[in-house]
Amino acid sequence: MSEHKHPLDLIDLWLEQLHHEEECEEDEEAEDASLIAKQQFHCLCFLCEEEIKWFHRYYYTCQQCDYSIHKFCAKLPPRLEDTCHAHTLYFLQPSDDWRCTICHKRHNSNYFSYHCSQCNFNVDVNCATKFLQKNIVHHPSHKHPLACLTKHIICECDACGKKHAGTFYHCNICEGPFVHNDCVFLPEKLQIQHYTNNYFSHTHHLTLAYSFSRADQESKFFPRCRVCSKGFYKTSNLWIYKCEKCRYYTHLDCITPRNEPFMSILGYPGTGRTIKNYVDLEHPDLVHLPFPNTSYSILKHLFFKKNISTTTFEINISHQHPLILEDVECTDVTSPTLSRIKSISYHDPMKSIQLLCNGCLRPIMSGPIYVCANYEDEDCNFVLHKWCSRLPCELKDHFAHPQHTLVLHSKSPNKFFGVFRCDICGLSCNGFVYCCEKCKYYIDVNCAFLPKEITHASHPNHLLSRVGNGLDFVCHICNFYINSNRALLIPETTSHKCDKHPMKLSYFPIENHKSEYFCEICEKEFDPEFTFYHCDKCMQSVHTACAPSILRYETHTGDCYSRYVYRFVNVKFGGTYNNNKVHPHPLSFVQGIARDGECNRCGSRLQYEMIFKCRLNCKFAVDIFCCELLSK
């Protein structure tokens, strides 16, 4: 190797980085910026004219002139033996311009070569180092240096798991990993938006990790890739990019657009920008979900402003007492004849006041409503949205039961205490029902009007179509499914008296979340990759199924939250059951809590169940199934 006229200093890029990390230990943003600046470092080697990069780790530089050289180039031997040429090649500086016999690249006279004077054979330094396997990288993923293979091969990369053709790096000491050139030089930290044309974005830099162990995945509830939505459990030994603060994980191949058309997989909720695939004017009645709060429903969307004269409330719904249409706040009613109404207050979760419509079972937060005018019967809590009084008496050719007409009833016929199981959503219900008595087919009024198409914030800009009997909505472009209960019964916001701010739906882990995720109601840890409610200001979270139980902490539904929806979201508790066969005292219809103990008939636990218990102090309580059996 030719000598340089000035002294050369050996630089260790990694050692400098360690000093930067120590200086920036308290300032994480400065540390990120420092690391990225180092990874972006590059200059040209004077000998091989290839870049000196962070992964080469060592290089020589001159402080007096613009001269830098790879460490391995500085140690090139003065001659090459046993190469692809028959004679010995000597390291020298040609006097004229020349061309490399191997790669055919043209060089000027300032560029050094290995030369054979007998047959005018020239090899440039870059080709020579590849032949000598001196193109070495010191990579943090492996304890030994990785050497560049001299020939292009087709091989599966041990970093990304994909089969590639081209240059690979390999450890000759321990026969370690084969890593493709594209993966070897990936930066240790990056902004995802810079690599995905802003289709995917994240606040923090993502850090390169060289494995994602199964134990680590299990502790994070087996998260999915934010780009393709696939898991990591089959690829735990492959490299990933991650942000541990926000539980943001991606495959290497998803974040780096090589030859694969990865941008075509923009289908999973919240992972990137989806292009709108419908025209608003062509879908004037399209339902945009989730609804803003618990008082909204599909019935309000359909019947709130419609003037339906063919069917009136008095004709198709029967109630044992007169009903009065009320359109002002109940506390303003002063008429002595309406003293029964004065005791009714609108639904207010901030004050633990619950007022549910007997038709759709959704909370009533404002008028107009129908209320029972019989102030003498304290047990009659019948109340109805005005739009629920406009429901049609019959449904013909219904998508879920087209063979027979479905008839509307205010209470399910032939069902104990009016409680039935909806044949579409599978939830218990004691509200209005459309049924075919011939087939014993029952559906609640919300499921009866499931729309054919919807949009949902969890999968924006794409139409979701109802499939089968209405249990799911699907995006046929992206193969994305959402359960109809989850789509229609979980509102965008919820409130409770323990948090002065509304809690909003979240579909992914929260940015900058500093701890594990625990439900404030049931106090169980949960997976933030599934829908939950969260308050950004107070950093509180709850299961969507626990949210309706915020008003009464003891009545959360235990492990049933895995269904997303509160188990009794379609049940209105209250009312009295009198039957001497069951018990000599009146029984209240309530949800069981821990202190209710066990069923007096079968001995099963009553907590989280629909039960009947004595209104006096005799501690009698049975579940709804045993109460039905005892009443016969």
Side-chain angles (χ1 to χ4, degrees), residues 89-299:
L89 302 178
Y90 292 91
F91 191 73
L92 53 83
Q93 184 176 9
S95 57
D96 300 312
D97 293 350
W98 58 280
R99 187 185 300 273
C100 175
T101 310
I102 295 178
C103 68
H104 306 292
K105 185 177 181 180
R106 190 169 187 82
H107 302 280
N108 59 37
S109 58
N110 294 325
Y111 192 78
F112 286 83
S113 77
Y114 281 96
H115 176 70
C116 174
S117 58
Q118 299 180 41
C119 46
N120 199 28
F121 187 91
N122 293 290
V123 178
D124 62 28
V125 174
N126 190 37
C127 291
T129 55
K130 288 182 178 179
F131 169 77
L132 293 169
Q133 292 194 352
K134 295 293 185 182
N135 197 354
I136 303 295
V137 297
H138 298 265
H139 202 277
S141 66
H142 193 66
K143 60 184 178 180
H144 305 135
L146 301 180
C148 180
L149 301 182
T150 55
K151 294 183 179 180
H152 285 200
I153 61 173
I154 299 175
C155 182
E156 183 177 295
C157 175
D158 290 320
C160 66
K162 301 291 183 180
K163 184 172 286 188
H164 296 280
T167 304
F168 276 79
Y169 284 80
H170 175 59
C171 178
N172 293 320
I173 297 175
C174 64
E175 296 299 321
F178 283 83
V179 184
H180 189 262
N181 181 75
D182 289 347
C183 293
V184 162
F185 296 109
L186 285 172
E188 189 170 347
K189 290 199 175 185
L190 56 75
Q191 292 276 178
I192 188 172
Q193 50 266 38
H194 296 162
Y195 284 74
T196 60
N197 299 327
N198 280 324
Y199 271 88
F200 299 85
S201 63
H202 186 65
T203 304
H204 309 120
H205 290 96
L206 301 185
T207 303
L208 186 61
Y210 306 111
S211 66
F212 195 11
S213 69
R214 188 173 181 86
D216 196 17
Q217 292 183 51
E218 185 176 3
S219 69
K220 301 294 190 298
F221 296 95
F222 294 99
R224 297 161 294 173
C225 173
R226 287 294 186 91
V227 175
C228 71
S229 83
K230 295 179 181 178
F232 300 91
Y233 54 92
K234 293 183 179 179
T235 57
S236 58
N237 293 324
L238 299 183
W239 300 1
I240 65 168
Y241 274 101
K242 66 178 182 178
C243 173
E244 288 285 13
K245 294 178 182 177
C246 309
R247 298 197 184 193
Y248 195 108
Y249 305 94
T250 66
H251 298 106
L252 285 196
D253 218 47
C254 291
I255 204 172
T256 52
R258 303 169 189 172
N259 296 325
E260 294 80 8
F262 87 106
M263 298 305 291
S264 65
I265 59 175
L266 307 179
Y268 200 75
T271 55
R273 295 195 311 238
T274 51
I275 299 173
K276 195 171 183 178
N277 68 348
Y278 65 93
V279 179
D280 291 322
L281 293 177
E282 296 177 359
H283 302 270
D285 296 322
L286 190 62
V287 183
H288 301 284
L289 299 170
F291 289 123
N293 57 55
T294 54
S295 69
Y296 280 73
S297 68
I298 189 64
L299 303 184

Side-chain angles (χ1 to χ4, degrees), residues 4 39 68 103 130 143 150-151 191 222 264 307 318 452 496 509 533 575 578:
H4 186 65
Q39 291 177 5
S68 298
C103 68
K130 288 182 178 179
K143 60 184 178 180
T150 55
K151 294 183 179 180
Q191 292 276 178
F222 294 99
S264 65
N307 183 16
S318 61
K452 187 176 181 180
H496 69 101
Y533 285 108
N578 289 287

Side-chain angles (χ1 to χ4, degrees), residues 378-618:
E378 296 181 357
D379 293 325
C380 184
N381 59 355
F382 189 92
V383 61
L384 192 73
H385 288 117
K386 186 177 181 181
W387 51 84
C388 288
S389 72
R390 297 169 174 170
L391 297 174
C393 292
E394 297 179 345
L395 296 178
K396 296 182 179 180
D397 300 319
H398 191 270
F399 67 87
H401 194 75
Q403 59 268 42
H404 300 122
T405 298
L406 299 178
V407 180
L408 178 66
H409 294 268
S410 57
K411 282 293 180 183
S412 178
N414 304 318
K415 293 292 183 179
F416 180 70
F417 214 67
V419 178
F420 65 96
R421 181 182 175 88
C422 176
D423 284 304
I424 290 182
C425 68
L427 294 172
S428 297
C429 180
N430 63 347
F432 289 5
V433 58
Y434 282 99
C435 70
C436 171
E437 295 192 57
K438 180 178 181 180
C439 302
K440 306 300 180 185
Y441 188 85
Y442 305 88
I443 56 176
D444 65 64
V445 291
N446 293 293
C447 289
F449 295 96
L450 285 178
K452 187 176 181 180
E453 294 177 326
I454 64 169
T455 65
H456 200 277
S458 63
H459 189 70
N461 293 325
H462 281 186
L463 283 178
L464 305 177
S465 302
R466 188 185 66 221
V467 292
N469 286 339
L471 188 60
D472 295 307
F473 287 93
V474 62
C475 174
H476 295 292
I477 296 176
C478 310
N479 201 31
F480 166 78
Y481 285 81
I482 185 170
N483 182 270
S484 59
N485 288 346
R486 182 182 171 196
L488 273 77
L489 298 180
I490 303 179
E492 185 176 18
T493 60
T494 189
S495 301
H496 69 101
K497 62 181 180 180
C498 297
D499 193 329
K500 60 183 179 181
H501 312 110
M503 306 184 81
K504 190 172 182 180
L505 274 184
S506 180
Y507 306 101
F508 283 98
I510 304 299
E511 301 284 346
N512 286 312
H513 199 275
K514 301 184 185 301
S515 61
E516 301 301 325
Y517 290 80
F518 288 89
C519 175
E520 294 292 327
I521 306 304
C522 67
E523 298 182 347
K524 293 183 179 179
E525 188 178 6
F526 65 87
D527 183 357
E529 299 245 354
F530 293 94
T531 310
F532 63 99
Y533 285 108
H534 183 76
C535 175
D536 288 326
K537 297 181 180 179
C538 301
M539 296 302 290
Q540 292 193 93
S541 304
V542 298
H543 293 117
T544 54
C546 286
S549 301
I550 292 174
L551 300 175
R552 295 183 297 169
Y553 278 57
E554 284 192 87
T555 58
H556 70 82
T557 53
D559 294 333
C560 294
Y561 67 77
S562 60
R563 299 178 62 186
Y564 296 103
V565 177
Y566 179 57
R567 183 178 175 188
F568 300 128
V569 69
N570 286 336
V571 174
K572 182 174 181 177
F573 290 102
T576 302
Y577 182 65
N578 289 287
N579 191 328
N580 289 330
K581 291 183 178 180
V582 180
H583 189 68
H585 305 142
L587 301 176
S588 296
F589 178 54
V590 296
Q591 182 179 348
I593 58 178
R595 63 173 176 266
D596 289 325
E598 298 176 349
C599 175
N600 282 61
R601 180 183 179 275
C602 67
S604 61
R605 188 181 67 169
L606 295 177
Q607 187 180 14
Y608 311 136
E609 302 297 333
M610 292 181 288
I611 71 169
F612 290 87
K613 68 178 182 179
C614 183
R615 301 183 68 172
L616 303 180
N617 295 320
C618 59

